[in-house]
Amino acid sequence: MAMDMSDRFAIEHGLRGTLRRDEPMARHVSWRAGGAARVFYQPVDVDDLCAFLRAFPPPRPVLFVGLGSNLLVRDGGFDGAVVLTHHALTGIRGPTPFFAGAGVPAPHLARYVAKQGGGGAEWMAGVPGTIGGALAMNAGCYGGETWNHVVSVDTVDRRGRLHRRGPGDYEIGYRHVALRSGGEEWFVGGVFAFEAGDTARSLARIRELLAKRVASQPLNQPNAGSVFRNPPGDHAARLVESCGLKGFAIGAAQVSTKHANFIVNLGGATAADIESVIGHVERTVREKTGVALVREVRIVG
């Protein structure tokens, strides 16, 4: 079989990971919808990631994706490179402090901390994404927030250079994290501090939170978790439900009948269907309640 451009590019730049062209992103986002990435790369480790970024120079855009649980790629696709961290930037070490790679699913860290006798990480079992995504948006649930536990982070910039940064380098808020100095960097790992705990009690708490999640969220249907941030002193789900929007659908995208801050793919939804439902919910809630909902999900393409 003839060598394709991807193979030549990889050999030329000494890349060791998986490189594909026009990769359907519906395979890699939890909504199971959307277009293709022009270039798709899954590095084998941090050094390989740096090599890829050097080989794919600016200004072409790069998008880091973990479990794709907070992302919608429009049907026309993403005209840049997607870097998949899941199964790539892995590894957990600890205890005191704990290190986790950006591609580690947050629930894995929750269980690891519990088994090492740490406490205070149990809430992470309810985060449907990776550590990289949790760091990027200060993910939180059940009273916990990611950056409350961060000691330091390792990042990579657009030119493939690594940096070690502390919480003071970032502006941190509710579902918001921004590098104070500006510039584009992505998280490749983080060091976290958790309190001492009791393994049996922590694992029991994790089981309890997961049962709560299963009972209250439509986990049997493709979804992207909470679509909107909770407004101060209120809940986005309550506002959406108060406007009679539970069950509202466009095409195969529907406001979940189980949890009003979730939009589910009933089967075959396009990214346009999902984005149209998001837009309709935003307009309706603003008209009926005066509240401008802020999206928690990222839409690209």
Side-chain angles (χ1 to χ4, degrees):
M1 191 166 76
M3 184 185 288
D4 74 3
M5 275 174 62
S6 301
D7 295 330
R8 279 204 300 274
F9 182 85
I11 291 166
E12 193 179 315
H13 295 281
L15 303 181
R16 294 169 287 129
T18 303
L19 179 67
R20 292 201 282 267
R21 306 273 172 172
D22 301 314
E23 174 73 5
M25 285 304 293
R27 292 178 186 167
H28 303 285
V29 301
S30 59
W31 254 321
R32 298 288 173 255
R38 179 67 59 88
V39 175
F40 177 89
Y41 193 64
Q42 186 171 22
V44 295
D45 54 28
V46 173
D47 290 342
D48 187 44
L49 166 63
C50 294
F52 173 76
L53 290 169
R54 289 193 295 269
F56 191 82
R60 292 185 288 177
V62 172
L63 176 68
F64 273 50
V65 175
L67 290 168
S69 56
N70 207 38
L71 178 69
L72 184 65
V73 179
R74 290 190 174 109
D75 299 308
F78 179 71
D79 193 24
V82 163
V83 172
L84 192 73
T85 64
H86 186 43
H87 295 316
L89 305 180
T90 55
I92 306 180
R93 298 189 297 275
T96 334
F98 293 87
F99 168 84
V104 171
H108 289 195
L109 180 59
R111 281 191 288 273
Y112 184 90
V113 171
K115 286 175 179 173
Q116 295 290 323
E122 298 87 354
W123 63 271
M124 276 191 166
V127 175
T130 57
I131 292 300
L135 287 167
M137 65 173 288
N138 195 16
C141 58
Y142 304 127
E145 249 184 4
T146 303
W147 279 82
N148 290 346
H149 304 280
V150 173
V151 176
S152 65
V153 290
D154 293 326
T155 67
V156 66
D157 66 24
R158 184 62 186 82
R159 296 181 186 279
R161 296 170 301 203
L162 294 170
H163 306 269
R164 165 107 0 125
R165 300 203 178 276
D169 292 318
Y170 295 89
E171 183 188 288
I172 299 158
Y174 171 65
R175 305 293 175 268
H176 168 81
V177 178
L179 192 57
R180 290 186 192 278
S181 61
E184 199 170 23
E185 292 181 13
W186 296 274
F187 298 105
V188 296
V191 176
F192 302 86
F194 295 101
E195 63 214 36
D198 174 273
T199 296
R201 195 173 299 140
S202 293
L203 291 174
R205 177 68 177 147
I206 287 171
R207 284 193 295 274
E208 183 189 316
L209 292 177
L210 291 178
K212 191 173 172 183
R213 194 165 163 248
V214 168
S216 63
Q217 299 176 7
L219 303 183
N220 59 332
Q221 295 169 300
N223 70 80
S226 297
V227 175
F228 302 105
R229 297 178 187 177
N230 286 326
D234 206 342
H235 291 278
R238 190 200 68 76
L239 288 163
V240 176
E241 190 166 350
S242 75
C243 294
L245 288 166
K246 261 190 169 180
F248 173 81
I250 293 174
Q254 181 192 57
V255 177
S256 168
T257 55
K258 194 170 187 180
H259 192 306
N261 198 16
F262 281 61
I263 291 170
V264 296
N265 181 350
L266 299 173
T270 63
D273 290 340
I274 293 167
E275 193 169 359
S276 297
V277 172
I278 292 172
H280 178 79
V281 169
E282 285 171 336
R283 287 189 300 274
T284 306
V285 170
R286 193 181 304 117
E287 284 163 17
K288 292 193 174 183
T289 72
V291 177
L293 291 173
V294 178
R295 294 175 188 182
E296 203 167 289
V297 295
R298 187 169 176 203
I299 300 175
V300 300

